[in-house]
């Protein structure tokens, strides 16, 4: 009874058979791996997943966790209950009136027997009894029709006694089937143990990946939420900025239109006055009576059109040349200021905030390097500088460090490499060697570098080189640092931006920007980040 109860506990609720490779869900219910995987496949695309037993719902496809304890219990139960078998569907050969399940098969008789016929069956040794089977012909030699009793080690095949004594296997080294079977089982158990060990190791590796996978999913969800809110704010800010810019355009249009309309009105009045005077003069010119012409109003008064004309001309010229267009520069400034404020909001959202001031530390620069006055550009010079030989200065390689140290947060900085095709950029610990071969950026475990020489790009760390498939296609590269995540990435700032390589490690010291140049010059062109 207890055995039956245990068997019930070891049955999969999907296939109703004893567990095969049991796994469990987060709700605690167990299933055969194949069974639950098939169920989850069917649920895919339905908008969610659920446990077939308790109906607990999961938003994402649940990760299947191997249940090693249950698997061991199941395997032990199977080995200790060999009699617990399903109906084989094989019936007694001699029960011709009604089918009765067979309990044994006789190899000699090539017949299956029920319990009643088994009791009266011959007990002679040659009548070998086995578990019920329909493949009795496979138990006999196809040549001599005798029971297979031996295993030929030379030909790796089962043989009968006649094959061994008189047949083609005469003189071959043989073993009984039991001996050969035990040897093969021993090998299979060894192979099984190796497979179990390998599977357990693989399961451990899967479990070890669950935590970082969960962290990635958690971080992704957080970033998604922040970016969604960011785009909502950006749309609102863009709408506000659009309204402000459109109001400014309307304001400028109104002011210019008013000034132009006022002057046009004055000029149209002047045109009407001139037309009136012209008509009067034409009438005088058409008069035939000289006395009347001479007694009319003075011709000088009629032609006096200069009064106030200078002021109108000045206004006309000013509007025509100085104020005839919108203030596009002012509108552009308003747009750029608004968009710049939005970009600051983007950096805040992603924990990357503006931090100006990254410059080169001349105290670390090799004496064959020229540092610009703004401390942003480094170039090779054939005129050696007479700087003091301090412990911080690079002595062997043409390199220099940045003055800022980064020990927290996320940062990026950019370098314009258009002035040279032989350069190295990256980051390093302040404890990097300054003399000898170990001082080259990337040639030690204290620095990481992106290197370009004659159109070939590589990344270096700990004296290991990784050749990149493509060269830099733009004139700018970006170095991105996430100190807590232990990631240092390099990007080619082409359109669209192209990821080159990411180093992943655990940083143990603050980091400094590091640059080197073999000819020409390179320049720090931007950077941002935050740290405490």
């Amino acid at each position: 009874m207890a055995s039956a109860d245990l068997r019930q506990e070891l049955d999969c609720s999907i296939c109703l058979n004893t567990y095969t490779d049991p796994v469990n869900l987060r709700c605690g219910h167990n299933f055969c791996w194949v069974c639950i995987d098939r169920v989850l496949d069917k649920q895919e695309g339905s908008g969610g997943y659920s446990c077939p037993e308790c109906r607990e719902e999961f938003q994402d496809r649940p990760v299947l966790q191997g249940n090693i304890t249950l698997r061991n219990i199941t395997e032990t139960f199977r080995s200790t209950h060999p009699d617990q078998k399903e109906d084989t569907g094989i019936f007694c050969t001699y029960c011709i009136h009604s089918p009765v399940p067979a309990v044994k098969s006789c190899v000699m008789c090539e017949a299956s027997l029920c319990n009643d016929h088994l009791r009266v069956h011959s007990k002679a040794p040659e009548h070998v009894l086995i578990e019920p089977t329909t493949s009795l012909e496979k138990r006999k030699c196809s040549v001599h029709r005798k029971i297979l009793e031996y295993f030929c080690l030379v030909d790796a095949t089962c043989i009968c006694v006649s094959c061994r004594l008189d047949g083609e296997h005469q003189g071959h080294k043989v073993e009984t089937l039991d001996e050969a079977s035990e040897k093969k089982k021993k090998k299979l158990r060894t192979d099984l143990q190796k497979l179990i060990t390998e599977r357990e190791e693989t399961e451990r590796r899967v479990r070890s990946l669950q935590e970082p996978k969960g962290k990635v999913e958690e971080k992704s969800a957080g970033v998604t939420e922040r970016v969604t809110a960011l785009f909502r704010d950006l749309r609102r800010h863009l709408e506000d900025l659009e309204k402000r810019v459109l109001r400014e355009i309307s304001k400028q249009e109104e002011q210019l239109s008013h000034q132009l309309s006022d002057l046009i009105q004055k000029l149209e009045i002047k045109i009407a006055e001139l037309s009136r005077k012209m008509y009067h003069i034409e009438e005088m010119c058409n008069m035939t009576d000289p006395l009347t012409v001479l007694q009319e109003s003075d011709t000088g008064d009629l032609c006096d059109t200069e009064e106030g004309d200078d002021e109108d001309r000045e206004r006309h010229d000013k509007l025509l040349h100085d104020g005839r267009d919108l203030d596009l520069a002012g509108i552009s400034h308003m747009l750029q200021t608004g968009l710049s404020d939005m970009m600051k909001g983007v950096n805040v959202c992603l924990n990357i905030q503006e931090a100006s001031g990254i410059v080169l530390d001349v105290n670390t620069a090799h004496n064959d390097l020229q540092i610009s006055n703004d401390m942003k550009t480094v170039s090779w010079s054939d005129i050696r500088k007479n700087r003091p030989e301090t412990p911080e200065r690079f002595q062997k390689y043409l390199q220099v460090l940045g003055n800022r140290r980064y020990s927290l947060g996320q940062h990026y900085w950019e370098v314009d490499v258009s002035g040279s095709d032989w350069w190295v950029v990256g980051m390093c610990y302040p404890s990097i060697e300054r003399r000898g071969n170990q001082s080259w950026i990337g040639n030690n475990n204290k620095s990481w570098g992106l290197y370009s020489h004659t159109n070939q790009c590589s990344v270096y760390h700990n004296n290991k080189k990784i050749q990149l498939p493509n060269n830099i296609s733009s004139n700018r590269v970006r170095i991105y640092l996430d100190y807590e995540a232990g990631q240092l990435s390099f990007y080619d700032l082409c359109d669209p931006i192209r990821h080159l390589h990411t180093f992943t490690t655990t940083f143990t010291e603050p980091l400094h920007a590091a640059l080197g140049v073999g000819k020409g010059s390179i320049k720090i062109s931007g950077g941002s980040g935050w740290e405490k």
Side-chain angles (χ1 to χ4, degrees), residues 245-302:
V245 172
L246 292 178
R247 281 198 300 268
E248 176 64 21
I249 294 173
S250 297
K251 178 183 174 182
Q252 291 189 26
E253 178 194 10
E254 184 179 355
Q255 290 176 346
L256 285 172
S257 179
H258 178 73
Q259 294 175 13
L260 292 169
S261 297
D262 183 58
L263 183 56
I264 288 172
Q265 185 179 9
K266 288 187 176 182
L267 292 176
E268 286 177 343
I269 292 173
K270 185 174 182 178
I271 291 172
E273 180 65 21
L274 290 173
S275 297
R276 185 187 64 79
K277 290 182 178 182
M278 289 170 59
Y279 178 75
H280 187 65
I281 291 174
E282 287 176 352
E283 283 187 332
M284 290 176 62
C285 290
N286 292 328
M287 290 180 181
T288 57
D289 182 8
L291 183 61
T292 303
V293 171
L294 293 174
Q295 288 178 344
E296 278 294 328
S297 59
D298 191 4
T299 305
D301 293 336
L302 293 173

Side-chain angles (χ1 to χ4, degrees), residues 105-120:
S105 292
C106 177
V107 178
M108 176 63 71
C109 301
E110 296 187 9
S112 296
L113 313 167
C114 65
N115 276 321
D116 291 337
H117 287 98
L118 180 63
R119 281 195 295 269
V120 298

